[in-house]
Amino acid sequence: KRCLCRRLPIFYKDYATSQDKTAKLWNAETGAMLKIFRPPIGEGSEGMLYGGAITPDAKIVAVGGWTGYEWEKTNSIYFFDAAKNTILQRINGLPNVINDIEFSQDGKYMVVCMGAKSGIRIYKIPEYANFTNIELLKSFTYGADTYNAVFDNTGRLATVSFDGKIRLYSKTFDLLKEIETTAGKEPFSIAFSPDGTLIAVGYNDSYKIEVRDGKTLALLYEPDITTANTLASRLENVCFSYDGNYLLAGCYFSKYENSKWWRQIRVWKNKGKGDYSDYPAGLNSIMDIKPMPDNSFIYASSNPEIGRIKINGTKIFYKSSETNAYNANDKTHFKVNNDASIIEVTPFGGDAMSFSVLDRTLTQTTSKTTTELESFKESHSGIKVTDWKATYYPKINSKSTSFLKTNETSFSVDIANDAKKIIFGTNWYITCVNTSGEKLWTVSSSGAAFAVNISANNKIVTAAIGDGTIRWYSMTDGTLLLSLYLNPDNKRWILWTKSGYYDCSIGAEDLIGWHINNGAAKEASYYSASKFKSVYYRPDIIVKILETLDEAKAIELCNITSNKKNTETDITKMLPPTVKILSPDEGFTTNSNTVSLKYSITSPNNKPITSVKIMVDGRTTVTNKGLVESFDSEATTNITIPSANCKISVIAGNEFGFSEEAILNIVWTGKSISQTEVADILKPNLYVLAVGVSKYDKKEYILEYAAKDAKDFSEKIALQKGGLYNNVNIKLLTDADATKDNILDGLDWIQKETTSRDVAMIYIGGHGVNDATGVFYYLPVNADVDYMKRSCLMYSDIQNTVSSIAGKVILFVDACHSGNVFGTTTKNIDVNAFVNELANAENGAIVFTSSTGKQYSQESSEWQNGAFTEALLKGISGEADYNKTGIITVKYLDAYIANKVKELTKGTQAPTTIIPKSVPDFPIIIVK
């Protein structure tokens, strides 16, 4: 019921680079991600995971790869307790990189496949209670890299190696048979049929697939590979179905379906002798396939994606990649402008996107936005680079170079405008050479540099990396300046410096974080970037980086401008607590409304725990404030849950802030009730605070429809009385009534009135501005931006209210109208930090915002409303009821508003919604 997935490597020939240094545990029934395992990591390749496996009883996870080599010059395997996510044991001293790990079907043995000539090692695995007593049984060296091994149901072991041999061992691991391969010299994958009578083999250097006798290894037959009979379309990863009647294979073979090239998994009937069917699986190479007891199969791609498909091709689930792939053969998809402040990139299988560093805006590219951008050059001013695509020895003016390391592969190139320097991107490094091929500098890359581009001013080199990031480097010495992650949803992005200063879009603050090693044999800690926002959220520094080309200078200039003092930046000295739920296990099933919850809290640096929040579906049920025991404690408490599937989360705080939330998904097995029945039974009250200002005291601030927006929303939501809500209580503050004092009183009112079973909605329309330090303020009717603290409403007043409301909280923020009227006393309007703060786990609010970043919200006489409110009103009137069930949930409303605002504004305004991961989707409107 669980499957382990590493972010699988992208293979070129016999070398691999991984896109991540984590392993993830997934629910094999639903595709839900359960846990992330974090072994110690280091710079460059250190910590890349190429092999992973889970024991048959799902108690232990083993991972390895390029692990431990940087500090011990040998490699390690880490064994995690799957439930507690702690490292139980580490095996070190392995002579080479770990390519594959497999447990025997009874869980008593483990085989490890290694790189170069290191071959395999076989270990005896003790029972969980005695797990530290892992015994090395046998070790076999081979003639080349080894990528796969497999146990059969009796305990026999079969392996393949790039030395061109297939080997079969007895259940006591004595060599029974060894043969030379015939279809190719690099057998890559191997699979037993369930009864052990057949062995299938896939190749890295051949498009053929073989089925051999499970005892003699004699070739029996080759499955039909029609249309997949080229090396570029080979199906090198093989497995049998659970019942043994089907053979499956996948890797590079693709077909164009639904406007995309989909990698296929081919399924042959009659154990590979019969007809076949091809099923679209992923957008990149299929790296592994495993059979399931119902005869479906689970697979993973190098994009990375995971999915589960029935043997007839029906998809059970599909989880798309969390990173963009930039490994297209056509490198012209990656372009930059003169100073590299604007980049354009087309992810594999996606749309072209443009990102501006100075404006921090992400937009879909049109022909108008590309005119000043240039792609790479392989020939320029008498310099011509050839043989640079996937080779070891690129040529400059027909002369072979020798600057690449052994097995280092060139993937990309660009020539500087002044024709004095050339940049090469490889699987490991980004390297600058002169026109004679002499190395000037080289820096490690966090993944394969699939595309590189030098700015026309010759100052910056940009690179599209295999880990899904775009990077900016100094052309002088290769110093890393900026890194950008674009989420595949084409909405969220985060941009950061080498030291960790960052800016981000709404909902993107937790897409990166700090990995803290806790020793070579202990699991690492992880803290999302948002935990240190008071120090590291610095959009001003981001702007200065490309101007100064020096992070230290950018920080100095920005601190002077904003009157900020140097603050503590050592992450290890300001860590929040870590929380783990010890019991019950993830996916716990119950028909009781009471759950006994056991959890642990650890606060680094012996800092006392100051608060603990336990929440159900995002709302606090238990709060402990003040000094909570010590800096390291365990506790057990009974939690009341609803008669439905729900999420329990635990958050702890110390003087530096709140922990990452520990989340437990509870599966309800009692009497099931529909969403409609839930609404009828619970009948919560709805409390609404609606604020909108059009007629400001200062005439230059005046808007057309902000007050009308708030009034129209109030009238429309009032119709929900007697439907989803027992009663609807509204406090409407518009124009003259929307003073700072009245708004503060309104916030007090909604906080006091809303109980744990109620819903609170806060609507804010009008102007919002940021002060010189980036702090967001809402402008009441009597606001004066020259005296913000006295006359404007600080975001923290709203945040404090939201975090204290007992029931579910939904905010609608339409406070990003044109800021040109404010002159130079403020910075451009940027709502991102304000919205991200409201949606933090400890606040637990669902936030709908009219626009993102520095976009201005639009209003029009055609709608007699702002675009956002026009969409909101139509959505809650029934147009967001996509399934025609009469119920509109949060996610349905989100989808409707996003599409409607895009339609109304012709794509120039992008509303955004943040739903905390601890808050499940729930109904908010019943259509009357």
Side-chain angles (χ1 to χ4, degrees):
K1 291 186 178 181
R2 295 181 179 182
C3 65
L4 180 73
C5 179
R6 50 204 155 91
R7 291 204 177 204
L8 291 157
I10 295 175
F11 284 91
Y12 172 71
K13 293 188 176 179
D14 51 340
Y15 308 107
T17 56
S18 177
Q19 293 182 320
D20 200 316
K21 297 178 180 181
T22 67
K24 292 187 175 182
L25 188 69
W26 304 81
N27 184 311
E29 302 294 332
T30 65
M33 200 271 289
L34 303 177
K35 284 185 173 66
I36 300 177
F37 302 103
R38 302 183 187 277
I41 67 172
E43 295 290 336
S45 297
E46 178 57 50
M48 290 183 175
L49 303 179
Y50 303 150
I54 187 168
T55 53
D57 60 7
K59 288 185 176 181
I60 297 167
V61 166
V63 295
W66 191 306
T67 41
Y69 183 80
E70 293 302 318
W71 48 76
E72 293 181 337
K73 302 307 176 186
T74 62
N75 288 273
S76 299
I77 295 175
Y78 303 98
F79 296 89
F80 283 84
D81 181 306
K84 295 181 180 179
N85 202 349
T86 55
I87 290 181
L88 295 169
Q89 176 66 295
R90 177 181 71 121
I91 298 176
N92 63 345
L94 281 79
N96 212 291
V97 65
I98 294 124
N99 289 325
D100 188 29
I101 302 171
E102 301 286 345
F103 287 108
S104 61
Q105 294 183 27
D106 59 10
K108 294 181 178 180
Y109 302 97
M110 180 185 76
V111 61
V112 180
C113 301
M114 293 174 288
K117 298 181 180 181
S118 299
I120 66 169
R121 288 192 175 187
I122 302 164
Y123 295 88
K124 185 175 182 180
I125 303 299
E127 293 182 358
Y128 180 83
N130 302 306
F131 190 72
T132 55
N133 300 316
I134 300 173
E135 180 184 355
L136 175 63
L137 294 180
K138 291 190 176 182
S139 178
F140 299 97
T141 58
Y142 293 165
D145 299 84
T146 304
Y147 285 105
N148 200 205
V150 63
F151 291 95
D152 77 351
N153 61 349
T154 68
R156 293 185 305 155
L157 177 68
T159 67
V160 286
S161 173
F162 276 17
D163 62 6
K165 293 182 179 180
I166 304 172
R167 296 171 173 88
L168 181 64
Y169 298 88
S170 70
K171 61 183 180 181
T172 56
F173 308 114
D174 299 311
L175 183 64
L176 297 175
K177 193 76 175 179
E178 177 181 293
I179 65 164
E180 296 279 350
T181 57
T182 54
K185 295 297 184 182
E186 297 177 350
F188 180 75
S189 69
I190 188 167
F192 270 115
S193 62
D195 61 6
T197 61
L198 301 174
I199 289 178
V201 180
Y203 288 83
N204 180 66
D205 64 336
S206 171
Y207 51 79
K208 291 184 177 181
I209 295 173
E210 297 177 329
V211 178
R212 293 178 172 270
D213 185 272
K215 291 184 178 180
T216 67
L217 301 184
L219 178 63
L220 301 178
Y221 53 90
E222 295 180 357
D224 185 353
I225 52 171
T226 302
T227 69
N229 54 356
T230 66
L231 193 59
S233 62
R234 64 191 183 276
L235 299 161
E236 65 180 34
N237 290 293
V238 296
C239 82
F240 284 94
S241 62
Y242 197 82
D243 65 6
N245 292 327
Y246 299 87
L247 177 67
L248 300 83
C251 193
Y252 298 106
F253 177 52
S254 61
K255 292 182 180 179
Y256 194 71
E257 301 180 22
N258 298 320
S259 302
K260 292 183 180 180
W261 285 97
W262 287 89
R263 305 289 191 185
Q264 306 286 311
I265 292 179
R266 180 163 289 187
V267 178
W268 291 270
K269 297 178 181 177
N270 194 17
K271 304 177 183 180
K273 292 184 288 187
D275 298 335
Y276 65 80
S277 298
D278 293 329
Y279 303 135
L283 297 176
N284 216 323
S285 309
I286 307 302
M287 300 307 298
D288 204 2
I289 311 171
K290 297 294 185 187
M292 299 296 289
D294 64 352
N295 236 28
S296 66
F297 53 91
I298 281 183
Y299 63 91
S301 88
S302 61
N303 207 31
E305 307 143 291
I306 67 167
R308 183 173 177 178
I309 300 177
K310 293 182 179 179
I311 205 69
N312 64 2
T314 302
K315 285 189 177 181
I316 298 174
F317 67 78
Y318 167 74
K319 299 295 180 181
S320 60
S321 173
E322 296 175 359
T323 58
N324 285 315
Y326 301 128
N327 57 333
N329 287 327
D330 181 3
K331 308 302 179 183
T332 61
H333 78 88
F334 184 53
K335 303 175 182 178
V336 302
N337 69 339
N338 178 68
D339 61 359
S341 63
I342 299 175
I343 62 100
E344 179 190 301
V345 66
T346 305
F348 184 84
D351 298 322
M353 303 299 295
S354 177
F355 184 83
S356 169
V357 175
L358 300 183
D359 295 333
R360 270 100 70 229
T361 54
L362 175 64
T363 56
Q364 188 167 336
T365 299
T366 66
S367 57
K368 292 182 180 179
T369 61
T370 61
T371 52
E372 63 177 25
L373 306 183
E374 296 181 358
S375 61
F376 81 104
K377 298 180 289 292
E378 60 183 344
S379 179
H380 176 62
S381 298
I383 305 298
K384 188 174 183 179
V385 182
T386 56
D387 297 344
W388 57 267
K389 289 186 177 181
T391 67
Y392 303 134
Y393 303 102
K395 296 178 180 178
I396 301 175
N397 289 341
S398 301
K399 181 181 177 181
S400 291
T401 61
S402 58
F403 63 86
L404 296 184
K405 294 185 177 183
T406 302
N407 299 329
E408 185 181 359
T409 308
S410 169
F411 283 123
S412 55
V413 71
D414 193 20
I415 303 171
N417 253 5
D418 60 9
K420 294 180 179 180
K421 297 177 181 178
I422 304 170
I423 294 290
F424 286 90
T426 76
N427 51 340
W428 299 329
Y429 300 101
I430 295 171
T431 299
C432 179
V433 303
N434 61 23
T435 55
S436 298
E438 297 170 332
K439 187 183 295 184
L440 302 178
W441 56 259
T442 187
V443 294
S444 293
S445 176
S446 55
F450 288 122
V452 293
N453 201 318
I454 305 168
S455 61
N457 65 6
N458 297 315
K459 292 183 177 180
I460 295 172
V461 55
T462 54
I465 309 295
D467 65 355
T469 62
I470 308 293
R471 310 262 179 167
W472 283 256
Y473 302 86
S474 168
M475 192 65 182
T476 302
D477 56 8
T479 298
L480 178 63
L481 301 172
L482 289 172
S483 301
L484 171 68
Y485 168 71
L486 302 177
N487 190 272
D489 64 13
N490 293 337
K491 293 181 180 178
R492 291 176 293 163
W493 57 264
I494 186 163
L495 182 67
W496 68 98
T497 70
K498 186 176 182 179
S499 297
Y501 296 102
Y502 72 94
D503 189 13
C504 64
S505 65
I506 292 172
E509 202 167 32
D510 292 339
L511 295 177
I512 66 167
W514 294 84
H515 175 108
I516 307 294
N517 287 338
N518 296 309
K522 186 173 175 56
E523 68 278 1
S525 301
Y526 177 82
Y527 304 90
S528 61
S530 65
K531 303 305 174 188
F532 311 103
K533 70 172 61 182
S534 62
V535 174
Y536 284 100
Y537 180 72
R538 294 292 301 272
D540 55 338
I541 292 175
I542 298 292
V543 172
K544 286 291 183 183
I545 289 290
L546 296 188
E547 177 185 323
T548 62
L549 302 182
D550 185 302
E551 185 180 10
K553 289 182 180 178
I555 294 169
E556 181 182 0
L557 289 173
C558 290
N559 284 347
I560 293 173
T561 303
S562 60
N563 294 319
K564 288 189 175 182
K565 297 180 180 179
N566 291 329
T567 57
E568 176 65 67
T569 58
D570 184 351
I571 287 292
T572 62
K573 294 181 180 179
M574 50 183 179
L575 297 175
T578 297
V579 178
K580 291 183 179 181
I581 294 177
L582 304 179
S583 67
D585 288 339
E586 172 63 32
F588 174 69
T589 60
T590 183
N591 59 5
S592 170
N593 292 111
T594 301
V595 173
S596 179
L597 183 74
K598 184 178 182 181
Y599 59 92
S600 67
I601 303 175
T602 301
S603 186
N605 303 317
N606 296 343
K607 296 297 181 181
I609 300 162
T610 56
S611 65
V612 178
K613 289 186 177 183
I614 301 176
M615 297 182 285
V616 176
D617 291 342
R619 302 318 299 165
T620 303
T621 60
V622 176
T623 303
N624 295 323
K625 293 184 178 180
L627 187 64
V628 179
E629 297 188 18
S630 65
F631 56 86
D632 194 354
S633 62
E634 292 187 2
T636 301
T637 186
N638 290 328
I639 304 299
T640 300
I641 64 170
S643 301
N645 293 348
C646 64
K647 294 183 179 183
I648 297 176
S649 54
V650 184
I651 299 174
N654 64 15
E655 65 178 272
F656 297 117
F658 286 95
S659 67
E660 303 287 343
E661 57 184 334
I663 298 178
L664 173 67
N665 289 281
I666 301 293
V667 178
W668 178 254
T669 58
K671 180 182 178 182
S672 298
I673 54 177
S674 67
Q675 286 186 332
T676 305
E677 290 173 319
V678 169
D680 289 340
I681 292 170
L682 297 180
K683 284 287 186 182
N685 290 319
L686 173 63
Y687 292 89
V688 179
L689 173 64
V691 182
V693 183
S694 295
K695 298 178 181 179
Y696 283 92
D697 289 351
K698 282 184 170 288
K699 291 184 171 53
E700 58 266 37
Y701 300 176
I702 288 177
L703 294 168
E704 288 290 329
Y705 300 110
K708 182 176 182 294
D709 286 344
K711 183 174 180 292
D712 290 349
F713 172 73
S714 298
E715 292 175 351
K716 185 65 67 175
I717 205 71
L719 300 178
Q720 289 298 304
K721 179 178 179 179
L724 180 61
Y725 307 103
N726 180 55
N727 200 3
V728 178
N729 305 278
I730 298 174
K731 184 178 287 291
L732 174 64
L733 300 173
T734 61
D735 289 341
D737 292 330
T739 64
K740 180 178 179 180
D741 287 345
N742 284 346
I743 297 171
L744 289 172
D745 289 344
L747 292 171
D748 282 340
W749 167 80
I750 201 167
Q751 175 185 328
K752 292 174 182 177
E753 294 295 325
T754 308
T755 70
S756 60
R757 59 190 300 271
D758 297 327
V759 176
M761 293 184 182
I762 300 175
Y763 177 99
I764 300 174
H767 280 304
V769 296
N770 301 84
D771 69 10
T773 64
V775 174
F776 184 84
Y777 288 82
Y778 173 71
L779 272 59
V781 66
N782 54 341
D784 186 337
V785 296
D786 291 327
Y787 304 96
M788 280 197 197
K789 292 186 184 298
R790 175 172 55 79
S791 67
C792 301
L793 188 73
M794 193 174 182
Y795 84 96
S796 57
D797 291 319
I798 301 172
Q799 175 195 333
N800 292 337
T801 298
V802 166
S803 64
S804 301
I805 292 175
K808 294 182 174 70
V809 184
I810 304 171
L811 276 84
F812 301 95
V813 180
D814 192 359
C816 301
H817 297 282
S818 175
N820 294 336
V821 297
F822 303 126
T824 60
T825 58
T826 64
K827 295 190 173 186
N828 289 329
I829 298 169
D830 190 343
V831 74
N832 288 357
F834 167 56
V835 174
N836 282 331
E837 189 73 41
L838 288 172
N840 276 351
E842 59 268 23
N843 296 324
I846 296 168
V847 185
F848 289 79
T849 180
S850 59
S851 56
T852 183
K854 298 180 179 181
Q855 285 182 344
Y856 292 137
S857 300
Q858 302 176 35
E859 39 181 22
S860 171
S861 58
E862 179 183 349
W863 319 314
Q864 296 288 300
N865 285 116
F868 173 75
T869 302
E870 173 73 3
L872 173 59
L873 295 174
K874 288 186 178 297
I876 64 179
S877 295
E879 292 188 17
D881 181 16
Y882 285 115
N883 284 353
K884 304 303 178 186
T885 61
I887 293 178
I888 297 173
T889 68
V890 171
K891 289 185 177 179
Y892 282 162
L893 184 60
D894 170 30
Y896 177 82
I897 290 175
N899 291 329
K900 189 64 177 179
V901 171
K902 182 178 180 180
E903 174 191 324
L904 292 172
T905 65
K906 296 180 171 55
T908 58
Q909 182 177 327
T912 304
T913 302
I914 305 185
I915 305 172
K917 58 185 178 182
S918 60
V919 179
D921 194 20
F922 63 92
I924 56 174
I925 297 291
I926 286 183
V927 180
K928 295 187 177 181

